[in-house]
Amino acid sequence: MTDAGRTSRPPRAPRMRRPRRDRGARESLLSITLVLEAIMFFFPMLVVFGKHTLPAGLAFGGGIAAIVILALASRLTGSRAGVWFGWLLQAAILATGFIEPFMVAVGVVFLALWVFCFVKGGQLDRQNAARRAALGED
């Protein structure tokens, strides 16, 4: 069987992928925290809508905006500015307690998680750097 109208092309060379950038423990842990906060924000959005604390458009619009911002911010934790933005988002989540009081408790829990991940991730990164230096990998 032959293909009458087709020309023979040489096979494509496989695409070379860029090597993945090594992510530190702090970057990974902070990123995970922001993703968890983005997932969590769906529920307060429903509560604010259900209790008629805000108009429906504002409740859903603000909730979806917060979810998107938190999800996008999780991609920025590799830079110093991204980490500072994460700290700012923690303050913003605490501030949502003015709209729905139970969010103060939720904000405190996630702030504690953020601080723990920030501190412990830094410790793990320093330990890993020392281990690589001792093995002569750097």
Side-chain angles (χ1 to χ4, degrees):
M1 217 150 93
T2 61
D3 292 285
R6 295 192 175 210
T7 59
S8 173
R9 281 191 263 179
R12 273 192 200 179
R15 265 181 68 182
M16 297 299 293
R17 291 186 179 190
R18 286 186 293 165
R20 290 186 71 167
R21 180 178 65 83
D22 285 336
R23 293 177 53 162
R26 178 182 283 167
E27 179 183 354
S28 296
L29 291 172
L30 294 179
S31 178
I32 290 167
T33 301
L34 289 171
V35 169
L36 288 174
E37 288 174 320
I39 293 167
M40 172 278 311
F41 228 90
F42 175 75
F43 300 105
M45 176 181 68
L46 293 179
V47 169
V48 168
F49 168 71
K51 290 175 67 175
H52 304 290
T53 308
L54 294 174
L58 195 55
F60 284 112
I64 291 170
I67 290 168
V68 169
I69 289 168
L70 286 162
L72 291 175
S74 73
R75 304 290 294 167
L76 303 175
T77 56
S79 69
R80 179 174 244 160
V83 173
W84 279 107
F85 186 55
W87 283 104
L88 181 66
L89 290 174
Q90 301 312 305
I93 290 172
L94 279 172
T96 60
F98 289 112
I99 298 169
E100 182 55 47
F102 84 94
M103 283 302 291
V104 172
V106 172
V108 167
V109 167
F110 274 106
L111 177 62
L113 180 61
W114 179 265
V115 170
F116 174 79
C117 291
F118 184 81
V119 171
K120 192 52 133 173
Q123 289 174 350
L124 291 171
D125 287 341
R126 286 188 295 278
Q127 287 174 355
N128 290 336
R131 187 175 299 120
R132 281 192 304 269
L135 294 174
E137 292 179 7
D138 284 342

